[in-house]
Amino acid sequence: MQSMPLVAIVTALALIEFMTFAALVGYARGKYKVAAPATTGDPVFERHFRVHYNTLEQWIVFLPSLWLFAFFVNPTWGAGLGAVVVVARIPYAIGYIRDPKKREFGSILGTLALLPLVFGSLIGAIRAL
Amino acid sequence: MQSMPLVAIVTALALIEFMTFAALVGYARGKYKVAAPATTGDPVFERHFRVHYNTLEQWIVFLPSLWLFAFFVNPTWGAGLGAVVVVARIPYAIGYIRDPKKREFGSILGTLALLPLVFGSLIGAIRAL
Amino acid sequence: MQSMPLVAIVTALALIEFMTFAALVGYARGKYKVAAPATTGDPVFERHFRVHYNTLEQWIVFLPSLWLFAFFVNPTWGAGLGAVVVVARIPYAIGYIRDPKKREFGSILGTLALLPLVFGSLIGAIRAL
């Protein structure tokens, strides 16, 4: 279990990355003049907003699967795959804000690291029965 | 604690169900011609999108309460109630996509299993003080 | 680890608060005549909706950081900071529904309690390596 702090570090970095995306939405609200509670009205603002919310969608899967994988499969491998998920969100976000079509590289890379976390967790838990 | 792998299996299945709803949104983007970052524009697309996001809203409550209940009340009962929550999302999603009014059966069934997880967790934690 | 039940109680209260915001959105759907799947159309409905979703955004950061802080730093301090985050959402919600500009006090108070949870978790996990 000596790698559990690594899993916690990856988790904390994922949370900080997510808060950064939230801050970028706040910045884009001012720059593109989209006052709360609106979340539409300017296409570039909407890209910032979708980066934030698509990451929310992914984190609700990523964070539980990271910890299930760490406990039921292997914490070192979990931390490694998790680090790829977190890092892949950087080109995803930069790409999406430039052009929605350019989100694909980061999106695919993140998904390739996420899928083994999710299905590995399921298999690891079944084997622990 | 022998039932903890069951709780992990229910969690992993909940994550896979959520990823399936995400994939259905991606499919509906193509079919109903709603290009990212837009999330509105076609009523049937919007139903797919709401299934995904309403599940996101429920999972942020469901996943923590499932594990609190498992630790502070009973893991076997937690896994059982959790399985009902996960299964109830299937008629919810099918119903909502057909007609927003038809989401009620799955929605009520899921909530009936979720409420004891949430309030059971609170009571279990208070009793553990 | 005797304070872990306190952390669980704060978590359960955060989930119940979130479900209350969800119920307020349902109530506002009826009052302001915004039928599902729409999430826009009336500015006061939209404020209810944003209270719910902004809390979703914060909970995906708050709940993991609360537990990381409890394990890697201190559970009593974690529960205390977490209680501030949960309580701060009440003036946030009341303020936002009255006037989006009035969400600031609750928003800032909650963030002031959330940031030490997040960065404390990161530092605590690094020190546990």
Side-chain angles (χ1 to χ4, degrees), chain A residues 26-51:
Chain A
Y27 165 79
R29 277 201 181 282
K31 187 170 177 190
Y32 302 103
K33 301 193 191 335
V34 179
T39 58
T40 53
D42 177 275
V44 182
F45 170 78
E46 288 176 34
R47 292 178 205 166
H48 287 78
F49 185 77
R50 291 311 314 163
V51 164

Side-chain angles (χ1 to χ4, degrees), chain B residues 54-69:
Chain B
N54 289 347
T55 304
L56 175 60
E57 295 169 26
Q58 194 169 72
W59 270 202
I60 195 90
V61 174
F62 168 49
L63 298 176
S65 67
L66 171 63
W67 285 90
L68 289 180
F69 192 97

Side-chain angles (χ1 to χ4, degrees), chain A residues 50-71:
Chain A
R50 291 311 314 163
V51 164
H52 186 210
Y53 268 71
N54 288 348
T55 305
L56 175 60
E57 296 169 26
Q58 193 170 71
W59 271 203
I60 195 91
V61 173
F62 168 50
L63 298 176
S65 67
L66 171 63
W67 285 90
L68 289 180
F69 192 97
F71 277 105

